[in-house]
Amino acid sequence: MKLTILGCYAATPRTITNPTSQVLEIKNRMFLIDCGEGTQVQLRKNKIKFSKINHIFISHLHGDHFFGLIGTISTFALLGRTTDLHIYGPKGVKEIITLQLRLSNSWTTYDLFFHELESTESEVIFEDNRVIVKTIPLKHRVYTNGFLFQEKPGERKLNVEAVQKYDIHTAYYQKIKNGGNVTLDDGTIIENEKLSFDPIPPMSYAFCSDTVYHEAIIPIIENVDVLYHESTFLQSEEALALKTLHSTAIEAATIALKANAKQLVLGHYSTRYDGIERFKAEAETVFPNVLSGNDGVSFEW
Ligand SMILES: [Zn+2]
Ligand SMILES: [Zn+2]
């Protein structure tokens, strides 16, 4: 699983920072999460192929999370894209995008599918044979969802020594990988555990931005491997966080701790601060495994 942060600062783009956007690679799938202004430039800078992006998830309709969407959609068309593109986002995202495409008479060269969200309960919004994506309803000034990406458990691994020892025909290998037992010609049943190893445990990633401190998300993200949680403010601005429905670094860390996350990644920093070191330092007073998200930074797990 690889996370590339294209932008992780709040509010306005600056020469030195970008608004929210990130790319998650999981089980050879690539998902674009949020699409702040400048996302397509950041994709180019980080050498991420446009053609690999088929699914874009938009958390909410504040500009710092989706003002790059129309530009990205348009560029894909100018480059002659023909592959379908799926957009998952709050109800209204279809109206906004199609209005711009219609008035500029710039319809896409590919099919654009909108999956509009309005539920306040967590729901499955994407599923294939490798990955499942669920919403994480957040509490912010407008309707907002985080997204939980979960790998599906893979096949069991064949114990080559064991299958040779029992002289098992290759025709049974797939059955063993699927967890099945094997009956030998003399009627002996060989338990699957003797013929295979456990699969690599599936990984999970939760993206939670923007939100006030919101314990209702804990049951949804419980035991997640990696939690990206917004930390717009430091503790000195705790009251402002509450007022604007954002979180502090300590609140992000508290959610990580209570949800038993393995790793916390911070981001959505307010641009009022010089540097981001203090976010990590404050979060680490509550939760040990903290990474500072930053533009152009990749993490692999
Ligand atoms: Zn924001
Ligand atoms: Zn917002």
Side-chain angles (χ1 to χ4, degrees), residues 60-65 140-142 144 209-211 230 244-246 268:
H60 66 303
L61 297 179
H62 278 158
D64 57 329
H65 296 258
H140 191 44
R141 303 195 303 277
V142 292
T144 305
S209 184
D210 298 355
T211 187
E230 76 129 283
T244 56
L245 299 190
H246 282 297
H268 200 269

